[in-house]
Amino acid sequence: MAIEKYRVHEVAKDFGLPTKTITEILTKYGAAPKNHMQVLTDRELSVIFDRLTQDHPVSDIQVIFQETYQEAKPAPAAVSAQQAASAQPPAQAEEKKPAQGQQGKAAAQQGGRPAPAAQGAQGQKGGQNKPAPQQQPQQNQQPVQRPASRVPQKKIVDTRKGGDVNLAKYDERLETLGGQQGERMQRQQRSGREKVQGRNQRRGGPAFSNKRRQDEAEKMRRLQLEIAKKAPVKVQIPDEISVGELASRMKKTGAEVVKALMKNGIMASLPQMIDFDTASFIAEEMGCKVEKEVVVTIEEKLIDVSEDKAEDLVPRAPVVVVMGHVDHGKTSLLDTIRNTSVASGEAGGITQHIGAYQVQVNGKPITFLDTPGHEAFTSMRARGAMVTDIAILMVAADDGIMPQTIESISHAKAANIPILVAVNKIDKENANPDKVMQQLTEHGLVPEDWGGETICCKVSAKKNIGIENLLENLVLLAEIQELKANPNRAGQGTVIEARLDKGRGPVATLLVQNGTLKQGDIIIAGTAVGRVRTMLDYKGNRLAEAGPSVPVEIAGLSEAPTAGSPFFAVSDERMARELVEQRKAEERAKAAAPVQKVSLENLFDQIQAGERKELALIVKADVQGSVEAVKASLEKLSNEEVNVRVIHGGVGAVNESDVMLASSSGAIIVGFNVRPDAAARDGAARQNVDMRMYRVIYDCIDEITAAMKGMLAPKYREALLGHAEVRQTYKVSGVGTVAGCYVQDGKIVRNCSIRLVRDGIVIHEGVLGSLQRFKDAAKEVASGYECGLTIEKFNDIKEGDIVEGYTMEEIPQ
């Protein structure tokens, strides 16, 4: 508690002295006060007390308690200060005045009147004598007991010779009388405490106590803030976080965090993302406590992707797709299978509603996908959807293995799907099934009859020969795979195809792969969401629910989903729509961002990062011998870090099917003496497929070897200008063969490098000799115009040839 302010006139009044006396003491021993209202400091009070003590020494201890040490008889009614003074020597009387003044001050501060001695002194000075209160006699020379409100209690010690000294009852003031400093401190504390108590009583206690409580609360709040500042800040950090967000979470400035990163050799601005390890290291370095933030996405909350328990799984029907070369009997086989599985009363009256259907074989269902063969493996597999379980490869017994047959084999192998070979058209006269068996072994498919593992069935789709045997082998192959699913959960599967119907809106064909899809379920498929309003089977009959491996056609989605998109039945429609909006935003961002593709330039980086363990290649060449030679040479490049695998090899120009396979498999297309057609070029640009064309096999081997070692640094690249078709040729003496051409796309520029391509095969590479429009020389001819041109040192130009113009650009280093 703070000591009350003590002013000059108050000191003078307490000691019963004129203010002038106190002012003189201060002027002599310190700084002169400005006026009688000046507040005195502790030092100034000490000076005053010391001076007054020296001026008024006590000659005899008896004087102090003369008045209180009385005989046991009634005290006189009043003892005037003048009488008391007359009975004492002048020095004692002077000493009595300050003591009495001090007692009066203490009594006044306690709410009572001054003590009688003080009253007497004042009365003598002012000429007014008031009667003193009657004193009670005390027995055995004990101190006189006075009312607490009038006189402070005194403890009297008799130090006379022969008297009994009660050491336990020393008066504190008398005990410290010889020590002036102790008396002064006691006086200040008592005076301050009494003044504060008196003021509190005058103002009213509650007001002061409320203010004090507020002060205490403010102090406590500041103390808590200080403790909070010293306590480490807890920071939750996800897998990736921007520098600015990290600074915000740590309650630091961005500059402090950037500075800490720079100290550790990391140059990052506020918007840049840093990984968890870096962020946690910086946070701990700056005195924060790090916790890993586990982000639960809407997709994780909404979609149940938990693994099924073994006891919940039940056998399901296999999903089969038919592949093969054109006109080898795919459609005929599907028609025959569908008709044999239908009752005779319905024969010929079936309308196929959807691109998938089920047939029963010995009471066991088999699901067939009636889609283009490659589509089932390319577009769907590129999206991570593994739809089919078994592939039927159709090979005509009279034609044997054809280019599309080889592609089908490559697609099925890339998808790791078992192949069942159906050798069709065995009823024809020129059929040679053994030749087909021999060709199959060349592509890694060894028939069971020859000691291999590939099931081969000889059939005739048109004459219904061997179809039953084929279906039985399908069931057997499915049993070997032990295909199972859990029907007792929310339905999920893959979109087979989707379209926009005029009357029904978006209509989608779904293949349920796990769980059970019910009418009224809320489903989400890619960026489409909605409720299953109607559900039809392949015959057009309404269904209430569909289990695993059942194809259905549904209506009720917000839009037509993309083929190959996975679908899920969910419980919360609001969250499903929110997830769809997120996916749409991600697609927009992905479309705007550059796509990372597999190429020889970034191959070494991917190997180093551990992202690539296998380099998949597609080889196309002008002749079959070159394909085999290139394939063997490239696969020898495999090492411990990366395995080189040729997933497909074929003869002829690079086509769209090659690009689709490369896109879904993450492969690079390598061509020898062949060129990509227009559809392949567009598809490669759209899907970011890397295509490399060579004339010399060693150039290819050197480039891929260098890319695997991280040494590939090409200085030039080819920039395609355009294509022109040769419509007519003229022989001009002294000039050679002049080709009349029509520019199909891009442009043809004078003096550019050219290739002459005939049926997808490169015939010649050289330089354009001349370029003319009518009779005038032209610098360039754009798409849609005709022109005449010659090729330097080459005249074997024929109608139908394609002139491909290009230039070599230097790659900026």
Side-chain angles (χ1 to χ4, degrees), residues 460-507:
S460 173
K462 284 193 175 179
K463 294 193 176 181
N464 198 359
I465 300 172
I467 302 298
E468 290 296 330
N469 181 46
L470 174 69
L471 294 175
E472 286 173 5
N473 278 290
L474 272 178
V475 174
L476 179 64
L477 197 56
E479 287 176 355
I480 292 170
Q481 288 184 270
E482 294 184 348
L483 303 169
K484 292 184 178 181
N486 177 17
N488 301 314
R489 62 180 295 174
Q492 59 189 56
T494 305
V495 178
I496 302 299
E497 60 184 27
R499 67 182 193 277
L500 215 53
D501 190 276
K502 286 184 180 179
R504 301 164 63 198
V507 174

Side-chain angles (χ1 to χ4, degrees), residues 91-145:
Q92 295 176 3
E94 287 298 323
E95 178 63 22
K96 188 74 174 178
K97 283 182 182 179
Q100 290 172 344
Q102 188 74 353
Q103 292 174 6
K105 177 71 174 177
Q109 290 170 352
Q110 290 179 358
R113 292 193 299 270
Q119 290 177 358
Q122 291 173 359
Q124 185 181 9
K125 192 172 182 179
Q128 295 179 359
N129 288 330
K130 295 184 181 179
Q134 187 174 359
Q135 297 180 359
Q136 298 295 331
Q138 297 185 357
Q139 300 298 327
N140 300 328
Q141 296 184 348
Q142 292 295 322
V144 177
Q145 192 75 20

Side-chain angles (χ1 to χ4, degrees), residues 298 302 522-524 529 570 572-581:
I298 297 176
L302 194 63
I522 301 158
I523 65 168
I524 180 169
V529 66
V570 297
D572 192 326
E573 188 171 2
R574 183 188 60 80
M575 286 178 65
R577 295 191 182 279
E578 192 174 339
L579 176 58
V580 163
E581 291 302 318

Side-chain angles (χ1 to χ4, degrees), residues 24-43:
E24 288 174 353
I25 292 172
L26 290 170
T27 305
K28 184 175 180 181
Y29 294 102
K34 295 179 181 178
N35 51 45
H36 71 287
M37 292 296 293
Q38 179 171 322
V39 177
L40 297 174
T41 63
D42 289 347
R43 182 180 175 282

Side-chain angles (χ1 to χ4, degrees), residues 39-51:
V39 177
L40 297 174
T41 63
D42 289 347
R43 182 180 175 282
E44 290 172 337
L45 285 170
S46 299
V47 169
I48 294 169
F49 296 155
D50 290 348
R51 182 69 261 170

Side-chain angles (χ1 to χ4, degrees), residues 433-707:
D434 292 337
K435 179 187 175 184
V436 174
M437 303 277 194
Q438 176 63 41
Q439 291 174 334
L440 286 171
T441 57
E442 295 173 5
H443 294 88
L445 298 175
V446 182
E448 283 184 330
D449 296 346
W450 292 15
E453 296 181 353
T454 304
I455 299 174
C456 293
C457 299
K458 299 174 183 179
V459 300
S460 173
K462 284 193 175 179
K463 294 193 176 181
N464 198 359
I465 300 172
I467 302 298
E468 290 296 330
N469 181 46
L470 174 69
L471 294 175
E472 286 173 5
N473 278 290
L474 272 178
V475 174
L476 179 64
L477 197 56
E479 287 176 355
I480 292 170
Q481 288 184 270
E482 294 184 348
L483 303 169
K484 292 184 178 181
N486 177 17
N488 301 314
R489 62 180 295 174
Q492 59 189 56
T494 305
V495 178
I496 302 299
E497 60 184 27
R499 67 182 193 277
L500 215 53
D501 190 276
K502 286 184 180 179
R504 301 164 63 198
V507 174
T509 300
L510 310 179
L511 176 68
V512 182
Q513 293 177 283
N514 203 11
T516 301
L517 183 65
K518 300 177 182 177
Q519 187 171 344
D521 280 356
I522 301 158
I523 65 168
I524 180 169
T527 55
V529 66
R531 195 179 290 272
V532 180
R533 289 205 309 264
T534 59
M535 186 159 56
L536 308 176
D537 66 4
Y538 69 95
K539 296 180 183 178
N541 300 325
R542 282 184 174 270
L543 293 177
E545 60 181 37
S549 296
V550 176
V552 291
E553 185 180 81
I554 65 149
L557 292 175
S558 58
E559 60 183 64
T562 311
S565 301
F567 78 84
F568 298 91
V570 297
S571 56
D572 192 326
E573 188 171 2
R574 183 188 60 80
M575 286 178 65
R577 295 191 182 279
E578 192 174 339
L579 176 58
V580 163
E581 291 302 318
Q582 280 188 9
R583 287 180 174 179
K584 287 180 178 177
E586 287 172 6
E587 281 190 2
R588 287 193 293 269
K590 193 176 180 182
V595 180
Q596 179 72 21
K597 65 176 182 176
V598 181
S599 65
L600 292 185
E601 281 81 4
N602 62 23
L603 176 63
F604 180 71
D605 296 334
Q606 292 186 13
I607 294 169
Q608 290 294 99
E611 296 174 3
R612 181 157 293 275
K613 300 293 183 185
E614 183 177 85
L615 174 60
L617 298 174
I618 294 172
V619 176
K620 295 301 287 282
D622 51 350
V623 292
Q624 186 64 34
S626 299
V627 174
E628 298 301 328
V630 172
K631 183 177 177 182
S633 301
L634 291 176
E635 289 184 340
K636 287 179 183 176
L637 299 177
S638 299
N639 55 31
E640 293 179 359
E641 293 181 345
V642 61
N643 177 41
V644 179
R645 185 165 72 98
V646 177
I647 62 172
H648 175 61
V651 178
V654 178
N655 55 34
E656 192 174 10
S657 176
D658 298 324
V659 174
M660 290 172 68
L661 178 58
S663 176
S664 61
S665 305
I668 297 172
I669 298 175
V670 177
F672 286 87
N673 291 329
V674 294
R675 301 297 301 166
D677 58 26
R681 282 197 306 272
D682 295 342
R686 191 170 57 251
Q687 299 175 45
N688 288 283
V689 172
D690 189 18
M691 295 193 296
R692 298 276 172 150
M693 303 300 144
Y694 302 97
R695 294 299 300 277
V696 181
I697 188 171
Y698 300 108
D699 291 343
C700 173
I701 293 169
D702 291 345
E703 275 200 11
I704 292 178
T705 305

Side-chain angles (χ1 to χ4, degrees), residues 49-100:
F49 296 155
D50 290 348
R51 182 69 261 170
L52 290 177
T53 304
Q54 291 175 8
D55 290 346
H56 305 285
V58 178
S59 60
D60 192 349
I61 193 70
Q62 295 181 6
V63 177
I64 301 302
F65 42 80
Q66 175 183 344
E67 188 177 284
T68 56
Y69 236 92
Q70 302 291 340
E71 297 291 333
K73 59 182 179 179
V79 180
S80 67
Q82 188 174 5
Q83 291 171 340
S86 63
Q88 297 172 2
Q92 295 176 3
E94 287 298 323
E95 178 63 22
K96 188 74 174 178
K97 283 182 182 179
Q100 290 172 344

